[in-house]
C-alpha cells in the first residue's frame, strides 16, 4: 500500500506529501475565491473526507499526489495532502447536489420496481431500513449506486448486481426493489418516488432529493483544485443533465362536443382543464389527439347518440390551458362537417400557429410527420387512421385523415427513414374501437409491427377505456420503447360506465436521445367534461386492470 493510502487507512496525522524544501513567504496571494483574492500563510493543503466513494477516492488522491504545486496569482505554491479535514485549507467532501460551487461530479439514483407495479412511493425511512437489511422486502443495488451511497448510508446489506440482472431478479423476487442510476433506467422499470420526490420530474429540485450525491471541493483553494480535479478525473459532471431531458405527455380521445360542450357553455370553456392543467402544462411537450373539427359556427348538439361532432373555436382555450404543444388529427370524426368543415378547421390551426399532423389538405400533407426538437432531443410524430368511415380519409384532392392501410408500406418506410434521422419516432393510431382493456389480437400484431420498424413510442388514441401498456428495455436490439394500446378518454362525455370514465395520461421521459422511462398518470371524468386525479384506491384499480390485460 502506498504511503498516502496507508495514512488514510490508519489515521496518521503527518503530511502525506512532504512540503517543498524552499521557504515560503507568509500570506501569499494564490487565487480568486468569489471574485476576490484570498491570502494564506504557507502551502496549499487539502484533505479527503473518509466517506468518499471508491474508486473515486483513489483517483482523486492520486491526482493530488501527482500535482506537487499549483500555479496561483502569486506564482507556484506547494500542494500538500493531509489526512485530517480540520487541518486542511481545502476539503474534498460528499454532499448534496446543488450546494454551491466546487462540484466535481454528482450522481442521482432511482428506486425501481418492475413496470407492472401498483405501488408509487416509498418512504425514505423504509428505503434506508431495506439498505441495512431490515424492512419488509429486499433491496438490490447496482455497483455504482452501492459505491456512491456507501458514504452517507454505510455498506448495503442487499445484493449488488448489474443493471440487467437487477431487473430479472426483481421480477422473480416479490416485494423487492432496486436502486439504479438515473441514466441506466429503461421503460421496463417503474420509478418510485421517495417521500414524494420524483426523479423524473422536469422541474426537479436537486437539493432536496434524498438519493442525490455530489463530490465537491470547498474551502480556501477550491477554485484552483476544482478545475484541476475535473480535468484529471475526466468524469461526466452529472448523470442527470436537465438540458438533455424532455418530458412528453400523451393523451387520449378528445372531442369537446355533446355533453362536454354543454357543460363548457354552462361552467366556462376552461372547466375541463381546471384540475389537471398544471401537471399537463408542465410537460415539455404536451400532446392532444383531437377527434373533431374546430368551427367558429359550431352549435352544441347534446341529443342522445349524436355522432356528428364539432367544437367551437373558443374551446381551444381549454387545450391551451393544459399546455397543448402538438395536435394529432387522426380521428375518424375530422370530416363530420364535410370536406369544407375540415378545410376551415385546418385553416384555424394554421392561423393560430398550432402544430398539427395526421390530417391535411392532401395525402402528402396528412401523412407527413411533424418534426420537433427540445433540449437536443429530436422527434418525428406520425398520426394515422386505421379505421372508418371512408369519408374521414384524405384523398388526392379532398382533406381528411391519413388512412393507414392505403399507404401502409409507404408509412412504414417513412418510419424507418425517420428512425435513422431523429432520436424518437412516435406513431399514434386511431384504431378499431373496443371497450375492453385487452388489445385485440390484430392490434397487438400491428402495433408491434410498428415497433419493429423503429418506432419508439406507439400509442393507440382510439380506445374509450384504458388499455394495456407494453415496455421494452434498453438491452433489446431495437432499444428502449413503449407500446400504449389505448389511453381512454381525455375531454369527452362518456359518463355511462366506470371504465369509460377512467383515463390515462402517459408521461415519457426522453434523455440524451433515448426513451428513458414512462409514467402512467390516472384520472377520472366528472360532470361529463372535467377529469380529476384518481384517488389512491381508484388508481390501484385502474393500474391492476391494465396490467392484467397485457398481451403475452
Amino acid at each position: 500500500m502506498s504511503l498516502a493510502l496507508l495514512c488514510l487507512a490508519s489515521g496518521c496525522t503527518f503530511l502525506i506529501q512532504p512540503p517543498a524544501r524552499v521557504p515560503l513567504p507568509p500570506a501569499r496571494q494564490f487565487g480568486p475565491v468569489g471574485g476576490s483574492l484570498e491570502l494564506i500563510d504557507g502551502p496549499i493543503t487539502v484533505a479527503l473526507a473518509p466517506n468518499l466513494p471508491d474508486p473515486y477516492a483513489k483517483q482523486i488522491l492520486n491526482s493530488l499526489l501527482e500535482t506537487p504545486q499549483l500555479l496561483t496569482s502569486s506564482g507556484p505554491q506547494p500542494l500538500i495532502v493531509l489526512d485530517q479535514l480540520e487541518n486542511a485549507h481545502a476539503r474534498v467532501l460528499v454532499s448534496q447536489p446543488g450546494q454551491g460551487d466546487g462540484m466535481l461530479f454528482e450522481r442521482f439514483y432511482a428506486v425501481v420496481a418492475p413496470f407492472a407495479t401498483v405501488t408509487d412511493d416509498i418512504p425514505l425511512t423504509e428505503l434506508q431500513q431495506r439498505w441495512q437489511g431490515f424492512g419488509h422486502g429486499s433491496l438490490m443495488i447496482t455497483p455504482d449506486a452501492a459505491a456512491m451511497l456507501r458514504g452517507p448510508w454505510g455498506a448495503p446489506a442487499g445484493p449488488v448486481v448489474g443493471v440487467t440482472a437487477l431487473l430479472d431478479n426483481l421480477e422473480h423476487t416479490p416485494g423487492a426493489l432496486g436502486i439504479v442510476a438515473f441514466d441506466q433506467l429503461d421503460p421496463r422499470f417503474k420509478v418510485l418516488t421517495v417521500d414524494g420526490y420524483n426523479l423524473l420530474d422536469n422541474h426537479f429540485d436537486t437539493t432536496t432529493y434524498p438519493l442525490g450525491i455530489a463530490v465537491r471541493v470547498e474551502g480556501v483553494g477550491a477554485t484552483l483544485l476544482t478545475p484541476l480535479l475535473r480535468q484529471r478525473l475526466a468524469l461526466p459532471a452529472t448523470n442527470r443533465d436537465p438540458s438533455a431531458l424532455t418530458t412528453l405527455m400523451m393523451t387520449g380521445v378528445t372531442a369537446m362536443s355533446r355533453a362536454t360542450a354543454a357543460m363548457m357553455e354552462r361552467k366556462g370553456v376552461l372547466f375541463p382543464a381546471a384540475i389537471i392543467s398544471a401537471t399537463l402544462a408542465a410537460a415539455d411537450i404536451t400532446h392532444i389527439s383531437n377527434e373533431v373539427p374546430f368551427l367558429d359556427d359550431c352549435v352544441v348538439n347534446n341529443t342522445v347518440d349524436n355522432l356528428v361532432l364539432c367544437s367551437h373555436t373558443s374551446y381551444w382555450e381549454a387545450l391551451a390551458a393544459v399546455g397543448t404543444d402538438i395536435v394529432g388529427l387522426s380521428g375518424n370524426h375530422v370530416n363530420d362537417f364535410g370536406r369544407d368543415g375540415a378545410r376551415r378547421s385546418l385553416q384555424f390551426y394554421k392561423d393560430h400557429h398550432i402544430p398539427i399532423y395526421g390530417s391535411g389538405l392532401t395525402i402528402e400533407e396528412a401523412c407527413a410527420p411533424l418534426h420537433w426538437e427540445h433540449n437536443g432531443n429530436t422527434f418525428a410524430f406520425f398520426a394515422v387512421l386505421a379505421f372508418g368511415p371512408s369519408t374521414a380519409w384524405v384523398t388526392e384532392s379532398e382533406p381528411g385523415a391519413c388512412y393507414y392501410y392505403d399507404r401502409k408500406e409507404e408509412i412504414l418506410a417513412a418510419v424507418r427513414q425517420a428512425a435513422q434521422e431523429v432520436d424518437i419516432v412516435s406513431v399514434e393510431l386511431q384504431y378499431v374501437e373496443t371497450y375492453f382493456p385487452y388489445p385485440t389480437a390484430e392490434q397487438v400484431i400491428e402495433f408491434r409491427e410498428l415497433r419493429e420498424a423503429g418506432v419508439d413510442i406507439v400509442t393507440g388514441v382510439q380506445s374509450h377505456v384504458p388499455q394495456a401498456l407494453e415496455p421494452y428495455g434498453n438491452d433489446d436490439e431495437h432499444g428502449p420503447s413503449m407500446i400504449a394500446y389505448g389511453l381512454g378518454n381525455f375531454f369527452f362525455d362518456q359518463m355511462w360506465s366506470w371504465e369509460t370514465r377512467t383515463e390515462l395520461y402517459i408521461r415519457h421521459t426522453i434523455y440524451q436521445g433515448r426513451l428513458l422511462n414512462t409514467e402512467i398518470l390516472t384520472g377520472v371524468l366528472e360532470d361529463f367534461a372535467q377529469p380529476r386525479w384518481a384517488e389512491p384506491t381508484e388508481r390501484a384499480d385502474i393500474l391492476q386492470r391494465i396490467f392484467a390485460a397485457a398481451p403475452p
Side-chain angles (χ1 to χ4, degrees):
M1 181 181 295
S2 71
L3 176 61
L5 292 177
L6 178 62
C7 287
L8 281 180
S10 63
C12 58
T13 58
F14 56 81
L15 298 177
I16 292 178
Q17 177 178 317
R21 296 184 180 277
V22 295
L24 296 173
R28 295 293 299 270
Q29 297 178 343
F30 70 94
V33 177
S36 62
L37 293 177
E38 289 200 18
L39 303 178
I40 185 170
D41 186 10
I44 303 168
T45 58
V46 59
L48 279 62
N51 64 344
L52 286 179
D54 286 332
Y56 305 115
K58 295 178 182 178
Q59 297 179 45
I60 293 169
L61 180 60
N62 289 336
S63 296
L64 294 172
L65 293 177
E66 292 169 0
T67 307
Q69 60 186 8
L70 289 176
L71 182 62
T72 75
S73 59
S74 299
Q77 295 287 350
L79 174 63
I80 300 174
V81 182
L82 305 183
D83 75 321
Q84 291 190 348
L85 292 175
E86 62 269 21
N87 294 332
H89 298 115
R91 298 163 293 280
V92 185
L93 306 171
V94 171
S95 73
Q96 191 74 15
Q99 295 185 352
D101 299 327
M103 187 187 75
L104 298 180
F105 56 91
E106 63 181 11
R107 297 292 181 266
F108 296 93
Y109 298 91
V111 180
V112 297
F115 179 76
T117 296
V118 174
T119 301
D120 293 316
D121 182 79
I122 182 170
L124 179 60
T125 54
E126 180 184 334
L127 182 64
Q128 291 172 328
Q129 288 174 350
R130 289 191 182 215
W131 181 277
Q132 296 165 4
F134 306 105
H136 300 291
S138 63
L139 183 67
M140 306 173 192
I141 307 104
T142 59
D144 182 55
M148 288 296 289
L149 294 172
R150 181 186 298 265
W153 288 12
V160 177
V161 296
V163 64
T164 301
L166 186 144
L167 179 62
D168 294 335
N169 292 345
L170 287 180
E171 291 178 336
H172 293 93
T173 311
L177 298 176
I179 297 182
V180 177
F182 173 81
D183 56 337
Q184 292 181 320
L185 293 171
D186 72 40
R188 295 172 302 167
F189 290 112
K190 175 173 181 173
V191 175
L192 303 188
T193 58
V194 181
D195 278 350
Y197 292 105
N198 185 359
L199 185 59
L200 298 173
D201 186 355
N202 62 334
H203 298 278
F204 176 73
D205 183 356
T206 62
T207 64
T208 57
Y209 183 65
L211 272 72
I213 299 292
V215 175
R216 60 190 296 267
V217 186
E218 69 171 28
V220 177
T223 55
L224 299 173
L225 290 168
T226 301
L228 166 73
L229 291 174
R230 285 176 181 168
Q231 181 181 29
R232 293 283 178 82
L233 294 173
L235 295 171
T238 183
N239 69 341
R240 189 190 182 281
D241 180 1
S243 68
L245 185 148
T246 299
T247 55
L248 166 64
M249 186 78 75
M250 301 292 293
T251 62
V253 176
T254 292
M256 295 177 289
S257 305
R258 282 189 320 225
T260 301
M263 291 299 295
M264 294 172 73
E265 292 295 328
R266 183 185 309 172
K267 297 192 175 184
V269 295
L270 295 180
F271 177 70
I275 295 175
I276 63 172
S277 59
T279 298
L280 269 67
D284 298 309
I285 308 171
T286 300
H287 152 274
I288 295 294
S289 175
N290 190 38
E291 297 237 357
V292 304
F294 273 114
L295 301 173
D296 59 8
D297 57 356
C298 180
V299 177
V300 176
N301 180 355
N302 192 22
T303 57
V304 177
D305 296 328
N306 169 36
L307 294 177
V308 181
L309 308 178
C310 66
S311 292
H312 194 276
T313 51
S314 63
Y315 295 177
W316 172 258
E317 291 185 43
L319 300 186
V322 298
T324 301
D325 297 293
I326 60 174
V327 180
L329 297 177
S330 60
N332 60 346
H333 290 276
V334 293
N335 288 350
D336 274 11
F337 280 73
R339 305 287 182 171
D340 182 62
R343 291 188 186 92
R344 291 166 56 202
S345 184
L346 292 170
Q347 189 63 43
F348 167 80
Y349 289 112
K350 182 178 180 181
D351 291 344
H352 291 81
H353 308 288
I354 301 166
I356 60 172
Y357 57 103
S359 281
L361 298 174
T362 65
I363 292 175
E364 289 71 22
E365 186 177 284
C367 297
L370 172 68
H371 288 274
W372 203 263
E373 187 274 337
H374 178 267
N375 276 354
N377 299 307
T378 55
F379 299 81
F381 293 96
F382 294 80
V384 295
L385 175 56
F387 195 44
S390 60
T391 53
W393 305 342
V394 68
T395 71
E396 292 288 351
S397 58
E398 298 288 350
C402 176
Y403 183 53
Y404 187 44
Y405 299 114
D406 275 354
R407 302 176 69 84
K408 181 177 179 179
E409 292 308 316
E410 294 177 33
I411 291 169
L412 289 174
V415 162
R416 295 186 187 98
Q417 181 64 32
Q420 302 300 314
E421 299 171 347
V422 302
D423 298 318
I424 301 294
V425 177
S426 171
V427 175
E428 62 200 74
L429 299 94
Q430 182 82 8
Y431 204 74
V432 176
E433 296 180 5
T434 69
Y435 286 84
F436 301 99
Y438 305 91
T440 68
E442 294 79 9
Q443 186 180 2
V444 172
I445 291 170
E446 296 204 279
F447 281 39
R448 288 178 177 175
E449 183 180 30
L450 282 163
R451 179 186 171 269
E452 291 294 319
V455 178
D456 302 280
I457 299 170
V458 185
T459 309
V461 293
Q462 79 293 331
S463 175
H464 293 289
V465 301
Q467 290 188 307
L469 285 84
E470 188 171 290
Y472 293 86
N474 194 38
D475 61 347
D476 185 89
E477 61 177 310
H478 297 288
S481 56
M482 176 64 73
I483 298 175
Y485 285 101
L487 305 187
N489 294 320
F490 182 49
F491 292 161
F492 203 52
D493 65 355
Q494 290 184 328
M495 289 283 293
W496 49 265
S497 76
W498 173 249
E499 288 75 19
T500 57
R501 291 179 58 204
T502 56
E503 307 185 352
L504 304 183
Y505 325 117
I506 304 302
R507 185 165 57 193
H508 302 286
T509 297
I510 293 89
Y511 184 69
Q512 293 182 340
R514 72 178 180 91
L515 179 62
L516 190 78
N517 207 253
T518 295
E519 300 167 90
I520 304 172
L521 284 64
T522 50
V524 177
L525 179 68
E526 299 284 3
D527 294 328
F528 297 91
Q530 187 182 77
R532 61 166 172 82
W533 299 113
E535 298 293 337
T537 55
E538 296 170 336
R539 174 172 169 79
D541 170 75
I542 296 168
L543 293 180
Q544 288 168 350
R545 184 159 23 104
I546 62 174
F547 292 154

